[in-house]
Amino acid sequence: MVISRKNIFAILLLALHQRTAAFAPSSLSRPVAVKTRCPPLSVEIDGIEFEDESDIDSPPAENYLVSVGELDDEDDLDGIEDDGVLPEWYQSAQRLEALRKEHRRHDKDTGSPEFQVAGMTERISYLTKHLRANPKDFSTRRGLVALVNKRRRLLNYLYRINPEKYASVISSLGIRHKSPGRVTDRAEKYSRYPGQKAVKKHLMKKK
């Protein structure tokens, strides 16, 4: 049997076509997004009977702890406790604001010695009351001591620059402060103490 070149070339092309078709992805394996439109359902609710909420058994009114009307009638005032007395921290904040307004030099004054001393004085009194109720609060005691020392230094500075203002501040705030005096020399400092007793003769060392 003699096969011509044309037949051999046709057979090779057919085999090559079948081989490439075998490796090609199948159309069945590809995901196909099917878009379906569902028409809205028409439901008739004329024949359905709903349960009346008034028919539901509810517990009697005396079983409730708080009624709705009692919550609406309460006065929501900031800083007022249940007993109607303002808390101590709120009263201290009000006094602090009043003292600062009283002793400031102008409306925007926030750093003058009088302004700082007035605020520190109220803060010191508040912390003193706190420590009387909580004597083991040592961190607050440490802060109180530092605050007292800072106020003392400010008062010393105010005494040097303006003695009249210093006197009015300590009198209005009721501060017990000893005004600083001038530095004395050694002889003047120890002159008020009695001299040393004379050494007895029998205790003196013989030369």
Side-chain angles (χ1 to χ4, degrees), residues 2 15-16 22 27 30 34-35 43-45 64 80 84 86 98 102 115 122 162 174 179 181 185:
V2 180
L16 184 62
S27 61
R30 296 178 181 177
V34 180
K35 295 183 180 180
V43 181
E44 297 180 359
I45 60 174
Y64 291 105
I80 297 182
L86 293 173
E102 181 182 355
F115 183 89
E122 175 56 35
N162 194 347
S179 59
D185 56 354

mmCIF file of all heavy atoms in Angstrom, residues 2 15-16 22 27 30 34-35 43-45 64 80 84 86 98 102 115 122 162 174 179 181 185:
data_model
loop_
_atom_site.group_PDB
_atom_site.id
_atom_site.type_symbol
_atom_site.label_atom_id
_atom_site.label_comp_id
_atom_site.label_asym_id
_atom_site.label_seq_id
_atom_site.Cartn_x
_atom_site.Cartn_y
_atom_site.Cartn_z
ATOM 1 N N VAL A 2 0.637 2.069 -0.961
ATOM 2 C CA VAL A 2 1.458 3.259 -1.108
ATOM 3 C C VAL A 2 0.660 4.460 -0.608
ATOM 4 O O VAL A 2 -0.494 4.661 -1.020
ATOM 5 C CB VAL A 2 1.878 3.462 -2.580
ATOM 6 C CG1 VAL A 2 2.734 4.706 -2.700
ATOM 7 C CG2 VAL A 2 2.634 2.244 -3.097
ATOM 8 N N ALA A 15 -4.003 14.484 13.712
ATOM 9 C CA ALA A 15 -3.516 14.051 15.034
ATOM 10 C C ALA A 15 -3.150 15.239 15.915
ATOM 11 O O ALA A 15 -3.402 15.279 17.120
ATOM 12 C CB ALA A 15 -2.319 13.122 14.853
ATOM 13 N N LEU A 16 -2.491 16.237 15.304
ATOM 14 C CA LEU A 16 -2.124 17.439 16.057
ATOM 15 C C LEU A 16 -3.352 18.199 16.540
ATOM 16 O O LEU A 16 -3.390 18.716 17.663
ATOM 17 C CB LEU A 16 -1.246 18.338 15.174
ATOM 18 C CG LEU A 16 -0.701 19.599 15.838
ATOM 19 C CD1 LEU A 16 0.187 19.247 17.004
ATOM 20 C CD2 LEU A 16 0.070 20.441 14.819
ATOM 21 N N ALA A 22 -7.533 17.964 23.249
ATOM 22 C CA ALA A 22 -7.602 17.202 24.501
ATOM 23 C C ALA A 22 -7.174 18.031 25.699
ATOM 24 O O ALA A 22 -7.673 17.858 26.806
ATOM 25 C CB ALA A 22 -6.746 15.946 24.376
ATOM 26 N N SER A 27 -15.772 23.391 28.153
ATOM 27 C CA SER A 27 -16.776 24.419 28.406
ATOM 28 C C SER A 27 -17.687 24.064 29.552
ATOM 29 O O SER A 27 -18.306 24.920 30.177
ATOM 30 C CB SER A 27 -17.603 24.660 27.126
ATOM 31 O OG SER A 27 -18.266 23.461 26.762
ATOM 32 N N ARG A 30 -16.260 25.348 33.159
ATOM 33 C CA ARG A 30 -16.281 26.762 33.456
ATOM 34 C C ARG A 30 -17.554 27.134 34.215
ATOM 35 O O ARG A 30 -18.644 26.696 33.844
ATOM 36 C CB ARG A 30 -16.197 27.578 32.176
ATOM 37 C CG ARG A 30 -14.879 27.391 31.429
ATOM 38 C CD ARG A 30 -14.884 28.201 30.151
ATOM 39 N NE ARG A 30 -13.637 28.011 29.410
ATOM 40 C CZ ARG A 30 -13.404 28.563 28.222
ATOM 41 N NH1 ARG A 30 -14.336 29.359 27.668
ATOM 42 N NH2 ARG A 30 -12.260 28.339 27.605
ATOM 43 N N VAL A 34 -25.646 32.284 36.114
ATOM 44 C CA VAL A 34 -27.002 32.256 35.582
ATOM 45 C C VAL A 34 -27.806 33.326 36.294
ATOM 46 O O VAL A 34 -27.905 33.327 37.519
ATOM 47 C CB VAL A 34 -27.654 30.877 35.770
ATOM 48 C CG1 VAL A 34 -29.062 30.879 35.200
ATOM 49 C CG2 VAL A 34 -26.805 29.799 35.130
ATOM 50 N N LYS A 35 -28.293 34.233 35.570
ATOM 51 C CA LYS A 35 -29.091 35.309 36.134
ATOM 52 C C LYS A 35 -30.561 34.952 35.978
ATOM 53 O O LYS A 35 -31.061 34.790 34.865
ATOM 54 C CB LYS A 35 -28.803 36.621 35.416
ATOM 55 C CG LYS A 35 -27.379 37.120 35.616
ATOM 56 C CD LYS A 35 -27.180 38.451 34.931
ATOM 57 C CE LYS A 35 -25.755 38.956 35.141
ATOM 58 N NZ LYS A 35 -25.539 40.258 34.486
ATOM 59 N N VAL A 43 -48.612 38.248 48.609
ATOM 60 C CA VAL A 43 -49.208 37.578 49.760
ATOM 61 C C VAL A 43 -50.392 38.393 50.225
ATOM 62 O O VAL A 43 -50.283 39.606 50.425
ATOM 63 C CB VAL A 43 -48.178 37.423 50.913
ATOM 64 C CG1 VAL A 43 -48.818 36.711 52.092
ATOM 65 C CG2 VAL A 43 -46.945 36.667 50.423
ATOM 66 N N GLU A 44 -51.449 37.743 50.421
ATOM 67 C CA GLU A 44 -52.651 38.406 50.915
ATOM 68 C C GLU A 44 -52.736 38.208 52.420
ATOM 69 O O GLU A 44 -52.689 37.077 52.924
ATOM 70 C CB GLU A 44 -53.884 37.815 50.238
ATOM 71 C CG GLU A 44 -53.912 38.043 48.730
ATOM 72 C CD GLU A 44 -55.156 37.444 48.098
ATOM 73 O OE1 GLU A 44 -55.947 36.850 48.869
ATOM 74 O OE2 GLU A 44 -55.305 37.572 46.875
ATOM 75 N N ILE A 45 -52.800 39.320 53.157
ATOM 76 C CA ILE A 45 -52.829 39.247 54.626
ATOM 77 C C ILE A 45 -54.205 39.601 55.166
ATOM 78 O O ILE A 45 -54.369 39.862 56.350
ATOM 79 C CB ILE A 45 -51.779 40.196 55.229
ATOM 80 C CG1 ILE A 45 -52.059 41.635 54.810
ATOM 81 C CG2 ILE A 45 -50.376 39.779 54.826
ATOM 82 C CD1 ILE A 45 -51.153 42.640 55.469
ATOM 83 N N TYR A 64 -43.139 45.896 89.533
ATOM 84 C CA TYR A 64 -42.060 46.678 88.948
ATOM 85 C C TYR A 64 -41.327 47.457 90.037
ATOM 86 O O TYR A 64 -41.946 47.998 90.962
ATOM 87 C CB TYR A 64 -42.605 47.657 87.905
ATOM 88 C CG TYR A 64 -43.143 46.991 86.657
ATOM 89 C CD1 TYR A 64 -44.514 46.878 86.439
ATOM 90 C CD2 TYR A 64 -42.275 46.473 85.709
ATOM 91 C CE1 TYR A 64 -45.001 46.262 85.306
ATOM 92 C CE2 TYR A 64 -42.757 45.860 84.566
ATOM 93 C CZ TYR A 64 -44.120 45.757 84.355
ATOM 94 O OH TYR A 64 -44.598 45.151 83.237
ATOM 95 N N ILE A 80 -24.817 66.925 92.385
ATOM 96 C CA ILE A 80 -25.704 66.774 93.540
ATOM 97 C C ILE A 80 -25.900 65.288 93.799
ATOM 98 O O ILE A 80 -26.248 64.529 92.907
ATOM 99 C CB ILE A 80 -27.059 67.461 93.303
ATOM 100 C CG1 ILE A 80 -26.841 68.969 93.130
ATOM 101 C CG2 ILE A 80 -28.013 67.184 94.449
ATOM 102 C CD1 ILE A 80 -28.117 69.745 92.933
ATOM 103 N N GLY A 84 -29.033 65.273 98.360
ATOM 104 C CA GLY A 84 -29.256 66.677 98.063
ATOM 105 C C GLY A 84 -28.131 67.592 98.466
ATOM 106 O O GLY A 84 -28.239 68.807 98.302
ATOM 107 N N LEU A 86 -24.239 68.974 98.039
ATOM 108 C CA LEU A 86 -23.170 69.028 97.044
ATOM 109 C C LEU A 86 -21.941 68.300 97.559
ATOM 110 O O LEU A 86 -21.580 68.425 98.734
ATOM 111 C CB LEU A 86 -22.816 70.480 96.737
ATOM 112 C CG LEU A 86 -23.891 71.308 96.027
ATOM 113 C CD1 LEU A 86 -23.462 72.751 95.950
ATOM 114 C CD2 LEU A 86 -24.170 70.756 94.652
ATOM 115 N N ALA A 98 -13.686 80.969 92.656
ATOM 116 C CA ALA A 98 -14.005 82.277 93.234
ATOM 117 C C ALA A 98 -12.754 82.975 93.766
ATOM 118 O O ALA A 98 -12.570 84.187 93.584
ATOM 119 C CB ALA A 98 -15.031 82.104 94.353
ATOM 120 N N GLU A 102 -10.981 86.509 92.509
ATOM 121 C CA GLU A 102 -10.834 87.618 93.453
ATOM 122 C C GLU A 102 -9.414 88.172 93.482
ATOM 123 O O GLU A 102 -9.223 89.386 93.611
ATOM 124 C CB GLU A 102 -11.228 87.133 94.855
ATOM 125 C CG GLU A 102 -11.131 88.198 95.925
ATOM 126 C CD GLU A 102 -11.479 87.654 97.300
ATOM 127 O OE1 GLU A 102 -11.886 86.474 97.374
ATOM 128 O OE2 GLU A 102 -11.326 88.413 98.277
ATOM 129 N N PHE A 115 -2.443 84.980 92.224
ATOM 130 C CA PHE A 115 -3.328 84.001 91.615
ATOM 131 C C PHE A 115 -2.925 82.580 92.017
ATOM 132 O O PHE A 115 -3.769 81.751 92.381
ATOM 133 C CB PHE A 115 -3.274 84.164 90.093
ATOM 134 C CG PHE A 115 -4.193 83.259 89.337
ATOM 135 C CD1 PHE A 115 -5.494 83.655 89.052
ATOM 136 C CD2 PHE A 115 -3.756 82.016 88.902
ATOM 137 C CE1 PHE A 115 -6.339 82.818 88.345
ATOM 138 C CE2 PHE A 115 -4.597 81.182 88.200
ATOM 139 C CZ PHE A 115 -5.889 81.582 87.921
ATOM 140 N N GLU A 122 -6.580 76.985 98.584
ATOM 141 C CA GLU A 122 -7.784 76.162 98.551
ATOM 142 C C GLU A 122 -7.436 74.691 98.360
ATOM 143 O O GLU A 122 -8.047 73.808 98.964
ATOM 144 C CB GLU A 122 -8.713 76.641 97.424
ATOM 145 C CG GLU A 122 -9.942 75.799 97.218
ATOM 146 C CD GLU A 122 -10.783 75.648 98.487
ATOM 147 O OE1 GLU A 122 -10.842 76.600 99.274
ATOM 148 O OE2 GLU A 122 -11.343 74.566 98.696
ATOM 149 N N ASN A 162 6.570 93.196 96.637
ATOM 150 C CA ASN A 162 5.428 94.048 96.982
ATOM 151 C C ASN A 162 4.946 93.692 98.384
ATOM 152 O O ASN A 162 4.057 92.842 98.552
ATOM 153 C CB ASN A 162 4.307 93.865 95.956
ATOM 154 C CG ASN A 162 3.249 94.936 96.062
ATOM 155 O OD1 ASN A 162 3.191 95.696 97.031
ATOM 156 N ND2 ASN A 162 2.380 95.017 95.063
ATOM 157 N N GLY A 174 -6.072 84.138 105.115
ATOM 158 C CA GLY A 174 -5.875 83.541 106.440
ATOM 159 C C GLY A 174 -4.680 82.611 106.497
ATOM 160 O O GLY A 174 -4.756 81.542 107.110
ATOM 161 N N SER A 179 7.307 86.153 107.567
ATOM 162 C CA SER A 179 8.031 86.858 106.514
ATOM 163 C C SER A 179 9.526 86.633 106.669
ATOM 164 O O SER A 179 10.058 86.602 107.784
ATOM 165 C CB SER A 179 7.736 88.356 106.583
ATOM 166 O OG SER A 179 8.103 88.872 107.843
ATOM 167 N N GLY A 181 13.425 87.234 106.946
ATOM 168 C CA GLY A 181 14.257 88.344 107.422
ATOM 169 C C GLY A 181 15.576 88.367 106.669
ATOM 170 O O GLY A 181 15.881 87.503 105.846
ATOM 171 N N ASP A 185 24.953 87.702 110.230
ATOM 172 C CA ASP A 185 26.255 87.059 110.322
ATOM 173 C C ASP A 185 26.296 86.120 111.521
ATOM 174 O O ASP A 185 25.347 86.029 112.299
ATOM 175 C CB ASP A 185 27.372 88.112 110.411
ATOM 176 C CG ASP A 185 27.145 89.059 111.582
ATOM 177 O OD1 ASP A 185 26.075 88.946 112.216
ATOM 178 O OD2 ASP A 185 28.022 89.899 111.850
#
